[in-house]
Amino acid sequence: DAGDPLRYLELAETVEERDLHYLGVLGTRRRAVSQIEVTVEAGSDAPEHETHAQMVRDWLKRDELQEELFDVLDAVGKGYSFTEVTYEHSEGQYLPRLDRRDPRWFRFDRRDMITPLLLGENGQEEPLIPGKFIFARMQAKSGLPFRSGIARAALWAYLFKMYTQRDWAIFSQTYGQPVRVGKFGPGATAEDKATLFRAVANIAGDCAAIIPESMMIEFIESGNVGAGHSMYKERVEFLDQQVSKAVLGQTATTDAVTGGLGSGKEHGDVRSDIKGADAKALAAVLNRDLIRIWVQMEFGPQKVYPRLRIEDPE
C-alpha cells in the first residue's frame, strides 16, 4: 500500500504454492489462453509487408512458444509481469527469445505508480531499456498495477481458508478419535499407573495395548463430530467457490456445483468473455512490445506492422 510491491509479490507467490485450488484454477485460465492458436495478419497486401508477417509466422512455430506465453500470463494473477526479450543474431537476423523475469526486480515510478522501473545492481531504480522488456498488465479491477491483480483479492480467501484449515486440523485431532480414559483401583502403584498411561496413549497410534486385569479403559465418543466437521468443510468449500468465480467466472467445472444452466458443460473451463479478454490483452501487449520493435530492427521503421491475433474461431 506504500508503493513497494515486494511483500505483495512474495505473498502472491506463497498463495500459489500453498493453495492448491487457487493454483489449479489460475493455471486453467492461463493455459486456456496460452493454447489458443496464434495467427498473424500482414500490415497490407504489399509483398514486403507479407514478408514481415511470414517472418513472425515462422517464429511462432517454435515449441517454446506456449511455455513463454504461459509465463507472460503470470500477469493474470499478480496484475502484471515482465518478460525479457533476448535476440539471437548469429545468423545475420534477429530471432527473439522470451525469458520470464522475477517481478521483484522491478518497481514503479513513485510519482504516478504506473511507469515501470528496473532495480539496478546496487538497488537503485533505473528506466527500462527500450525494447528490452515486455510489460504485460492484466487487470482484474481498475487501479494501480500492483493493486489490480486477482491475487490481491484472492489473498483474503486464502487467509480465511488457512485459519479454517488450521482449526479443522485441531478439531480432527481432538475429536477424530474417542477420548481414552484409564481407570485404576485404589491400591495401584506408581508403576501400575505408568503402565496404564502407556496403554491409553499407545491405543491412539498403535491401536493395541495390554493392561492388568484389574484396570479398565473407557472410550468416550464425542457427540458433535459430524456437525463440527461439516462446518469447517462447508466454509472451505465456500471460499474455494468464491476464488473460482474470481478466476474463472464460474464454479460448475471446478466445484461440482450445478448452476442455472444445469451442468458445467455449458460453462466451459473459463468463461468465454474472460478468456477472450485475456487473449486480446495478450495479443496487444505482444504487438506493442515485441512485434513492432522486432520488425523495426529487421527492416527499419514501417508505416504498418504485422499484427498477432489470439482468438478462438467463432
Side-chain angles (χ1 to χ4, degrees), residues 78-123:
K78 297 180 177 68
Y80 62 92
S81 69
F82 290 92
T83 304
E84 184 174 0
V85 184
T86 304
Y87 290 95
E88 169 62 43
H89 49 81
S90 60
E91 297 181 4
Q93 63 182 17
Y94 294 98
L95 291 176
R97 186 183 77 244
L98 309 183
D99 296 305
R100 176 187 178 274
R101 293 298 176 237
D102 194 320
R104 292 177 296 179
W105 296 354
F106 301 84
R107 294 293 184 272
F108 293 94
D109 191 305
R110 296 300 176 117
R111 290 169 295 183
D112 61 12
M113 291 297 192
I114 295 176
T115 304
L117 300 171
L118 175 67
L119 286 183
E121 293 184 0
N122 299 320

Side-chain angles (χ1 to χ4, degrees), residues 40 96 127 138 201 229 232 240 290 306 311:
V40 181
M138 311 286 280
H229 165 77
Y232 295 108
D240 281 346
L290 175 64
E311 57 186 18

Side-chain angles (χ1 to χ4, degrees), residues 6-168:
L6 176 62
R7 297 302 180 213
Y8 159 70
L9 294 170
E10 292 178 343
L11 188 53
E13 199 75 24
T14 298
V15 176
E16 288 190 46
E17 293 175 351
R18 296 185 181 181
D19 190 336
L20 300 183
H21 181 82
Y22 178 69
L23 175 67
V25 292
L26 186 63
T28 296
R29 178 164 166 180
R30 291 168 65 181
R31 290 185 180 90
V33 177
S34 65
Q35 293 180 4
I36 298 177
E37 183 178 359
V38 184
T39 58
V40 181
E41 290 182 352
S44 72
D45 295 333
E48 62 270 22
H49 292 158
E50 182 60 35
T51 300
H52 304 166
Q54 189 58 46
M55 176 188 72
V56 178
R57 294 189 189 105
D58 293 339
W59 177 77
L60 292 173
K61 296 177 182 179
R62 299 157 50 255
D63 294 333
E64 300 87 355
L65 179 66
Q66 182 174 324
E67 182 178 348
E68 291 172 345
L69 296 183
F70 181 81
D71 285 339
V72 174
L73 289 166
D74 189 37
V76 171
K78 297 180 177 68
Y80 62 92
S81 69
F82 290 92
T83 304
E84 184 174 0
V85 184
T86 304
Y87 290 95
E88 169 62 43
H89 49 81
S90 60
E91 297 181 4
Q93 63 182 17
Y94 294 98
L95 291 176
R97 186 183 77 244
L98 309 183
D99 296 305
R100 176 187 178 274
R101 293 298 176 237
D102 194 320
R104 292 177 296 179
W105 296 354
F106 301 84
R107 294 293 184 272
F108 293 94
D109 191 305
R110 296 300 176 117
R111 290 169 295 183
D112 61 12
M113 291 297 192
I114 295 176
T115 304
L117 300 171
L118 175 67
L119 286 183
E121 293 184 0
N122 299 320
Q124 74 279 13
E125 297 177 350
E126 304 173 352
L128 296 186
I129 301 173
K132 185 62 174 172
F133 294 96
I134 296 173
F135 173 42
R137 286 192 63 184
M138 311 286 280
Q139 299 184 104
K141 57 180 280 292
S142 299
L144 300 176
F146 51 83
R147 296 191 68 144
S148 60
I150 289 177
R152 190 173 176 95
L155 289 175
W156 292 102
Y158 165 78
L159 175 67
F160 297 132
K161 181 178 175 181
M162 291 300 105
Y163 277 128
T164 301
Q165 287 184 332
R166 183 199 64 180
D167 296 340
W168 194 359

Side-chain angles (χ1 to χ4, degrees), residues 42 92 98 105-106 143 170 200 206 216 226 271 275 285 304:
L98 309 183
W105 296 354
F106 301 84
I170 295 173
V200 172
D206 300 337
M216 180 182 72
R271 215 170 66 184
K275 183 178 178 181
V285 167
V304 291

